[in-house]
Amino acid sequence: MDVNPDDSPFFPPELERRIFELAVPRNAVSLALVAKRTYHWMIQIIYHTILMEDALCSHFFLLAIHNPSLFIHTKALCLWGDFTNYALSTILRVCSNLEHLALWNYRGKTIPREVGAFPSLRSLSVNLYSSGKLDETLCHFPFINVTHLDIGGEFHVLKDIESGNFPRLTHLACDACGKLGEQHTLQLKKILENIEVCVMKGELSTYHHGTPIQHPKVVRIVEPEQVESGWLDWVEGRASNIWALGQRELLTKRRIANA
């Protein structure tokens, strides 16, 4: 600990910041009000992850973006619900530094162009429904840096992966209860040649003709009941996230195969 000229002791800024960071997330807002320097530390944590569970949340969010500079700190965004195309596009434009994006139960006519505009985006979780008016493919723009893709619902997104929209993809997750047609099964097997693991989520495993796909890189796990908890596990780096569970299951599968 250093000493000021007036003999008043003080913590080095790095140590003080570390102490404050250990006190979050419960106290982040209160700690931001302690001093100007702590505000700058805490604001990065407060806005790091945003979870919107319905369209009403988006209404309040749009009212809050009078200071869009705050949202440059947002690295993880989860939108759950049937958001308007305008609201979704506006939110995505403001959160321009996303690394993790989840779009769940979205039934818009198209997925906005902004989804494919994040150079730093590393993981994408999206539910797709053929019963809605969604375009045939996920989008028409390459996700150059996405390595982790989690899809629920329909499997037409496999067409995008095969065509090279996800050139750095290493981890793929799909719903185990979804049915794969013969064409999709062939597409998935081709994708498996270039990725590390494919996680099938859920208890059921009913694919084309009722036969589960067999492949050394395919594993099955059961997601937590609260799917947003599973997504937050991944964003916050906890060992219980589906990708870590999938990798462990894959290692177990390989050990059994080599025994």
Side-chain angles (χ1 to χ4, degrees):
M1 182 181 296
D2 297 327
V3 178
N4 281 327
D6 61 0
D7 294 329
S8 299
F10 70 95
F11 281 114
E14 297 81 5
L15 180 57
E16 183 184 31
R17 178 171 183 171
R18 181 57 180 159
I19 292 172
F20 273 70
E21 289 174 343
L22 290 173
V24 294
R26 293 182 179 179
N27 303 307
V29 175
S30 298
L31 293 174
L33 302 176
V34 170
K36 187 174 182 179
R37 67 185 182 281
T38 63
Y39 171 83
H40 291 295
W41 299 339
M42 294 297 105
I43 210 68
Q44 298 179 39
I45 297 174
I46 293 170
Y47 286 90
H48 180 278
T49 302
I50 296 177
L51 176 62
M52 299 190 207
E53 296 183 316
D54 54 47
L56 181 62
C57 292
S58 73
H59 171 73
F60 290 110
F61 182 91
L62 293 175
L63 293 177
I65 60 175
H66 61 278
N67 186 2
S69 63
L70 294 174
F71 299 97
I72 64 173
H73 303 298
T74 302
K75 304 296 183 183
L77 175 65
C78 177
L79 303 176
W80 187 315
D82 194 8
F83 291 82
T84 66
N85 212 19
Y86 167 77
L88 184 55
S89 296
T90 303
I91 292 168
L92 293 174
R93 281 197 300 269
V94 172
C95 302
S96 58
N97 291 321
L98 287 181
E99 296 179 2
H100 310 283
L101 174 62
L103 290 176
W104 296 335
N105 294 347
Y106 175 66
R107 296 175 181 268
K109 293 182 179 180
T110 60
I111 291 180
R113 179 182 296 267
E114 287 80 5
V115 173
F118 301 109
S120 56
L121 193 66
R122 295 191 294 113
S123 72
L124 176 65
S125 178
V126 60
N127 286 27
L128 304 173
Y129 298 92
S130 62
S131 57
K133 299 179 180 180
L134 195 61
D135 277 350
E136 181 183 1
T137 55
L138 176 61
C139 84
H140 304 288
F141 316 102
F143 292 84
I144 297 174
N145 293 312
V146 168
T147 57
H148 293 67
L149 177 63
D150 178 10
I151 56 175
E154 302 302 321
F155 289 96
H156 51 71
V157 70
L158 296 176
K159 176 182 176 182
D160 287 321
I161 302 172
E162 186 184 15
S163 65
N165 276 18
F166 297 83
R168 297 185 181 177
L169 189 68
T170 57
H171 294 66
L172 175 66
C174 305
D175 285 340
C177 57
K179 291 187 177 181
L180 285 173
E182 183 176 1
Q183 180 183 2
H184 291 146
T185 301
L186 294 174
Q187 288 174 333
L188 179 57
K189 288 183 177 179
K190 187 173 181 180
I191 292 166
L192 286 166
E193 296 175 2
N194 300 309
I195 66 175
E196 295 178 14
V197 61
C198 177
V199 177
M200 293 295 180
K201 305 171 297 179
E203 294 281 2
L204 301 177
S205 189
T206 307
Y207 303 103
H208 182 56
H209 298 310
T211 304
I213 186 170
Q214 300 293 331
H215 194 280
K217 294 182 181 179
V218 174
V219 298
R220 192 177 72 215
I221 65 170
V222 178
E223 278 192 303
E225 292 184 6
Q226 300 295 325
V227 293
E228 66 270 21
S229 299
W231 181 76
L232 288 172
D233 284 345
W234 161 242
V235 168
E236 296 173 4
R238 290 192 285 267
S240 54
N241 73 78
I242 64 167
W243 305 115
L245 294 174
Q247 289 283 19
R248 289 199 291 272
E249 185 68 23
L250 184 63
L251 290 175
T252 300
K253 186 175 182 179
R254 287 174 176 171
R255 281 197 294 268
I256 294 174
N258 294 329

